[in-house]
């Protein structure tokens, strides 16, 4: 973005930023690596969990923004398989927050028409958290305005391993012939089956890595990295990310002249 353009946006209200968006060029699916909660808290002399709690407010605002823009799918990285290596105190606090979030938010998700689904090896979650996950999945199963995937105990490589394993079982049982397997077929075994691949990946907190998130699905996703810490990433930062996304030219391997913006694979 040119420096002048950035300064111009600074003076615009959220509503003005919203009005600048081209409704024909919105992502159909946004993925977010919500990072920087710990640093947000440390900067204020607070325990790390205070950052996680504050980050929930950002989740709420971004879900609302997706609904306001009629964006059909949002996948958020809440807890990675690697996060099990954190101190037990932090893990327990995160699980408690997850339970509280699901308990407090279920009615709001229903009001918003959001279908909640957990992706990842959720069987590793403590049973009280898992019960809430299953409950909110059940209670929102009929909704279709927004597909909200929450990645919990998630790892991109494990997801592919799990897909390959169940595909191998189907081949072994004679339900699938090896020649039937192509990219679309394998995709049907992933936890995001049926959804378009993310058009936009946002990672907050200045880190510029994927950290084992959606390795298959991000093949042609536009990446947006921002130094903003997740608890500070609210509606306005979401709008700025979308405006930046709309300036990208998505080529999918073609030469510039032949590709229409945002055209899928
Ligand atoms: C992201 O924030 C949330 C989770 C990984 C659960 P972090 O907890 O990673 O925050 P930083 O990166 O330490 O600031
Ligand atoms: C990625 O953040 C996982 C989530 C946001 C849930 P991390 O903070 O765990 O990632 P690394 O360790 O910096 O790569
Ligand atoms: Mg982090």
């Amino acid at each position: 973005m040119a420096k002048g353009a950035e300064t111009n946006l600074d003076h615009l209200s959220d509503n003005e930023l919203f009005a600048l968006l081209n409704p024909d060029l919105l992502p159909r699916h946004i993925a977010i690596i919500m990072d920087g909660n710990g640093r947000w808290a440390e900067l204020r002399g607070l325990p790390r969990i205070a950052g996680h709690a504050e980050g929930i407010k950002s989740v709420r605002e971004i879900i609302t923004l997706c609904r306001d823009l009629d964006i059909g799918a949002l996948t958020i990285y809440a807890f990675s398989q690697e996060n099990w290596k954190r101190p037990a105190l932090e893990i327990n606090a995160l699980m408690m927050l997850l339970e509280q979030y699901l308990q407090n938010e279920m009615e709001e998700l229903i009001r918003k028409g959001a279908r909640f689904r957990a992706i990842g090896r959720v069987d590793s979650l403590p049973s009280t958290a898992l019960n809430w996950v299953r409950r909110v999945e059940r209670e929102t199963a009929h909704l279709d305005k927004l597909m909200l995937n929450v990645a919990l105990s998630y790892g991109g490589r494990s997801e592919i391993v799990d897909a390959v394993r169940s595909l191998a079982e189907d081949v072994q049982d004679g339900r699938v012939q090896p020649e039937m397997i192509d990219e679309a077929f394998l995709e049907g075994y992933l936890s995001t089956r049926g959804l378009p691949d993310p058009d936009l990946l946002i990672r907050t907190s200045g880190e510029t890595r994927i950290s084992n998130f959606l390795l298959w699905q991000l093949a042609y996703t536009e990446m947006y990295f921002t130094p903003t810490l997740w608890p500070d990433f609210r509606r306005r930062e979401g709008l700025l990310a979308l405006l930046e996304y709309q300036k990208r030219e998505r080529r999918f391997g073609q030469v510039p002249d032949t590709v229409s913006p945002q055209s899928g694979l």
Side-chain angles (χ1 to χ4, degrees):
M1 186 188 277
K3 191 119 191 47
E6 247 170 61
T7 318
N8 282 343
L9 293 184
D10 285 349
H11 293 100
L12 298 181
S13 68
D14 290 6
N15 286 343
E16 286 166 330
L17 291 176
F18 190 96
L20 281 181
L21 284 168
N22 178 346
D24 297 328
L25 291 183
L26 288 167
R28 289 165 303 167
H29 183 177
I30 300 178
I32 308 183
I33 302 176
M34 309 184 289
D35 200 8
N37 295 349
R39 276 163 283 173
W40 185 93
E42 280 154 23
L43 280 169
R44 290 162 177 76
L46 298 169
R48 293 175 57 83
I49 194 67
H52 298 311
E54 190 67 19
I56 289 179
K57 297 182 189 162
S58 300
V59 171
R60 234 174 250 140
E61 288 202 13
I62 298 306
I63 291 174
T64 302
L65 179 61
C66 285
R67 285 297 300 116
D68 291 348
L69 289 165
D70 213 14
I71 290 170
L74 174 66
T75 300
I76 54 178
Y77 208 2
F79 193 82
S80 72
Q81 275 191 326
E82 291 76 18
N83 289 149
W84 290 115
K85 296 179 209 151
R86 293 192 178 197
L89 200 68
E90 182 168 350
I91 294 176
N92 293 340
L94 277 167
M95 294 302 148
M96 200 100 86
L97 270 182
L98 171 67
E99 269 176 58
Q100 275 171 15
Y101 170 78
L102 292 170
Q103 202 166 348
N104 296 336
E105 222 65 13
M106 188 166 73
E107 289 307 320
E108 184 59 23
L109 290 175
I110 293 171
R111 251 195 307 279
K112 287 192 167 113
R115 178 176 184 179
F116 167 87
R117 189 166 59 182
I119 63 168
R121 291 193 174 161
V122 282
D123 291 344
S124 325
L125 297 180
S127 58
T128 42
L130 184 57
N131 287 341
W132 271 104
V133 163
R134 296 303 183 214
R135 172 152 184 214
V136 179
E137 280 180 338
R138 268 197 317 274
E139 306 268 347
T140 61
H142 59 293
L143 302 168
D144 62 0
K145 298 267 186 273
L146 172 69
M147 183 73 235
L148 174 66
N149 293 311
V150 179
L152 291 165
S153 190
Y154 175 89
R157 287 189 172 177
S158 306
E159 181 185 29
I160 294 171
V161 167
D162 291 346
V164 170
R165 189 178 294 167
S166 76
L167 186 49
E169 282 166 5
D170 286 350
V171 171
Q172 197 170 36
D173 297 347
R175 283 191 292 269
V176 171
Q177 305 307 312
E179 53 280 8
M180 290 160 65
I181 303 170
D182 58 13
E183 289 182 12
F185 198 85
L186 180 57
E187 206 265 337
Y189 285 79
L190 298 176
S191 57
T192 51
R193 62 189 153 269
L195 290 178
D197 285 339
D199 299 298
L200 172 64
L201 171 82
I202 296 169
R203 183 169 188 153
T204 56
S205 89
E207 311 299 345
T208 48
R209 52 179 173 267
I210 300 298
S211 300
N212 204 12
F213 193 40
L214 302 176
L215 296 180
W216 172 282
Q217 296 89 336
L218 295 178
Y220 257 107
T221 300
E222 292 295 328
M223 307 280 168
Y224 179 83
F225 297 109
T226 170
T228 303
L229 304 172
W230 177 249
D232 293 325
F233 193 95
R234 297 290 164 89
R235 183 180 182 86
R236 183 174 185 85
E237 287 68 31
L239 290 165
L240 291 171
L242 288 165
L243 284 165
E244 163 67 24
Y245 166 79
Q246 295 200 330
K247 291 197 296 191
R248 306 269 178 97
E249 179 189 45
R250 304 187 72 191
R251 292 195 191 155
F252 303 102
Q254 301 165 66
V255 290
D257 284 345
T258 61
V259 69
S260 59
Q262 323 300 323
S263 67
L265 281 173

